[in-house]
Amino acid sequence: MAANRELKAKVFPRIWAKTISGDKITRNFMLTLDGPFDASRLFEYVCEITRAMDIPTPVILKSHEYNFVHFNVAKFLAREFVEDVDFDFLTLENTTGTISPLPRYFNEYD
């Protein structure tokens, strides 16, 4: 039973980034974080994703951070990039279901 909890604790969040043009996904990339999600490092995560996808880095607003933390999705429109882009928007999606760490009193067996 303790081994299951340790294994569950080692699963780190993943961020799925995809560029969408019209109705089609034109590029995608999956970033597995090196530790628990930290909202203050969102810019670093976005830089790593955009570098891997070979696209410009968007301007990150507080609303992007809020939406990603609370709703597991952040959407960057083409107008939020300083440079011209060849897609309509970039979406970042949390694929693990929850970014927030579980509370200490959480018991998965109750």
Side-chain angles (χ1 to χ4, degrees):
M1 191 181 315
N4 286 344
R5 288 186 185 175
E6 288 177 22
L7 181 63
K8 193 171 190 176
K10 291 182 182 178
V11 176
F12 295 123
R14 293 179 303 176
I15 299 173
W16 181 28
K18 52 192 169 187
T19 58
I20 299 176
S21 184
D23 296 352
K24 298 180 181 180
I25 297 174
T26 54
R27 294 180 197 89
N28 67 9
F29 178 74
M30 183 75 70
L31 174 69
T32 302
L33 304 183
D34 56 353
F37 178 78
D38 182 8
S40 65
R41 293 183 57 200
L42 184 61
F43 181 72
E44 292 176 42
Y45 302 145
V46 171
C47 285
E48 189 172 342
I49 288 168
T50 55
R51 191 175 309 116
M53 295 176 75
D54 195 30
I55 59 174
T57 304
V59 175
I60 300 174
L61 306 173
K62 270 295 199 199
S63 61
H64 295 130
E65 181 180 328
Y66 180 85
N67 288 335
F68 192 76
V69 170
H70 293 285
F71 303 113
N72 296 323
V73 174
K75 184 176 181 179
F76 299 91
L77 302 175
R79 67 176 180 235
E80 295 169 341
F81 289 82
V82 176
E83 300 174 34
D84 289 333
V85 292
D86 61 347
F87 51 85
D88 296 333
F89 56 90
L90 166 71
T91 302
L92 301 182
E93 184 178 338
N94 170 23
T95 60
T96 53
T98 180
I99 287 289
S100 305
L102 297 174
R104 281 189 223 165
Y105 55 82
F106 177 77
N107 186 354
E108 63 184 0
Y109 301 106
D110 284 344

